[in-house]
Amino acid sequence: MKQNRVFWEEGEQNGRFSLGSERRKLETSDTKVQGQNDWQECQEIVERAAEILTEWEEAEDIRLQVQYAAILVGKIDRLKKTETVGTDDVRRKICTLLRNVIRLNAAEEQFSQEQIQILKTGFSMITDKKVQKQDLLQLNRKMMKEGLQTMPAWE
């Protein structure tokens, strides 16, 4: 436990990540998500997720990967609270798929460049104007082809 605490403190001091600030952002913005700038809010969340995924590509430590995954799961939860995603069945399912893939695979082994690119594609689909169910199914197939687990084994 002592090593984990030191790891977290060093990561925050180096500016690589700040889970506390990410959590505060989520807590303060939960109430304003349903405003008129809902679509813009979704785009900003997706852009930030893409930045995190780019940083994730450069990380070579499984512990950093788990921390990036935690931040991305928070971003996905925030996206699902927006009206744009919450009322669109396909976008909501894309968010659920991304969340499951990240949650199920982050602690197993280091993600490959191709797997991270697929995650980026999934996030960009959320803000695509004409996303359809076929796009969701194709994304799911790509993820499974790259060796990502999309559902818990017991399902």
Side-chain angles (χ1 to χ4, degrees):
M1 256 170 96
K2 198 174 199 179
Q3 288 176 331
N4 285 340
R5 192 182 90 243
V6 169
F7 175 76
W8 284 77
E9 290 172 358
E10 287 176 359
E12 285 188 335
Q13 289 172 358
N14 295 339
R16 290 189 121 168
F17 56 86
S18 176
L19 295 177
S21 66
E22 289 292 331
R23 284 188 195 119
R24 282 191 296 279
K25 287 179 192 176
L26 288 174
E27 289 170 1
T28 59
S29 64
D30 281 348
T31 56
K32 71 171 189 168
V33 171
Q34 303 260 344
Q36 292 179 348
N37 298 327
D38 193 55
W39 185 254
Q40 184 177 354
E41 180 80 16
C42 286
Q43 289 176 326
E44 289 172 3
I45 294 170
V46 168
E47 287 172 11
R48 180 63 185 134
E51 291 172 12
I52 292 169
L53 284 167
T54 301
E55 293 173 15
W56 184 342
E57 282 179 313
E58 298 168 5
E60 295 181 10
D61 187 358
I62 193 78
R63 295 179 295 178
L64 281 176
Q65 175 172 294
V66 170
Q67 291 169 8
Y68 284 130
I71 293 170
L72 285 175
V73 166
K75 298 280 183 205
I76 292 169
D77 290 343
R78 188 171 164 201
L79 272 170
K80 289 174 99 174
K81 291 179 183 180
T82 64
E83 188 175 331
T84 301
V85 174
T87 58
D88 187 316
D89 191 45
V90 175
R91 284 185 175 86
R92 193 174 60 249
K93 287 180 180 178
I94 290 171
C95 285
T96 301
L97 177 64
L98 288 169
R99 188 178 195 285
N100 281 342
V101 167
I102 291 169
R103 189 177 54 82
L104 292 171
N105 297 283
E108 296 298 318
E109 61 184 52
Q110 191 71 25
F111 276 45
S112 69
Q113 300 291 330
E114 294 81 17
Q115 291 171 335
I116 292 175
Q117 287 302 326
I118 291 173
L119 290 175
K120 284 182 180 181
T121 301
F123 273 101
S124 67
M125 288 172 62
I126 295 169
T127 56
D128 189 8
K129 297 280 185 185
K130 297 181 181 181
V131 67
Q132 298 176 350
K133 188 173 183 174
Q134 292 83 8
D135 300 325
L136 168 66
L137 297 174
Q138 184 178 11
L139 178 66
N140 189 33
R141 282 190 294 272
K142 284 181 183 178
M143 288 177 167
M144 290 189 322
K145 184 179 177 184
E146 283 298 323
L148 292 170
Q149 187 179 356
T150 58
M151 288 186 156
W154 51 269
E155 285 189 29

